[in-house]
């Protein structure tokens, strides 16, 4: 895969990421997002048990866990 160089500075990239996160949490609070993530993951687990072995199950769990932790850190930032 060929990498291209970006003309954006690391600071502008961080600001852009921050804007995306802000937009995401304008739709739901971090606590609501955690609740939604649990519902999504629970549904996935139920479906996965019905369909059989999923070799990516552990990767999906780690992604889920990381998203939960991210939302929890954002919630903690809002409280502080």
């Amino acid at each position: 895969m060929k990498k291209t160089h970006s003309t954006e500075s690391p600071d502008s990239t961080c600001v852009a990421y921050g804007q995306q996160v802000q937009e995401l949490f304008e739709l739901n609070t971090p606590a609501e997002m955690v609740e939604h993530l649990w519902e999504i993951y629970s549904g996935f687990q139920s479906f996965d048990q019905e369909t059989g072995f999923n070799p990516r199950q552990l990767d999906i769990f780690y992604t889920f866990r990381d998203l939960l932790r991210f939302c929890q850190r954002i919630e903690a930032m809002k409280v502080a």
Side-chain angles (χ1 to χ4, degrees):
M1 180 177 191
K2 182 180 177 183
K3 288 189 175 185
T4 58
H5 294 286
S6 173
T7 57
E8 290 186 43
S9 73
D11 289 341
S12 64
T13 300
C14 287
V15 169
Y17 286 154
Q19 289 171 338
Q20 292 297 310
V21 170
Q22 181 177 356
E23 287 178 25
L24 177 66
F25 290 114
E26 285 174 358
L27 300 173
N28 294 292
T29 67
E32 290 170 331
M33 291 291 282
V34 165
E35 198 172 304
H36 293 207
L37 286 168
W38 273 112
E39 290 176 22
I40 292 167
Y41 188 71
S42 297
F44 163 76
Q45 284 293 95
S46 294
F47 175 78
D48 208 38
Q49 287 176 358
E50 291 175 14
T51 60
F53 177 72
N54 181 349
R56 295 184 52 230
Q57 187 173 16
L58 190 58
D59 293 334
I60 292 167
F61 169 75
Y62 287 142
T63 300
F64 164 74
R65 181 197 65 187
D66 292 343
L67 283 168
L68 278 180
R69 288 179 178 171
F70 174 77
C71 290
Q72 290 167 338
R73 286 192 306 267
I74 296 296
E75 183 71 24
M77 289 170 61
K78 291 179 105 180
V79 171

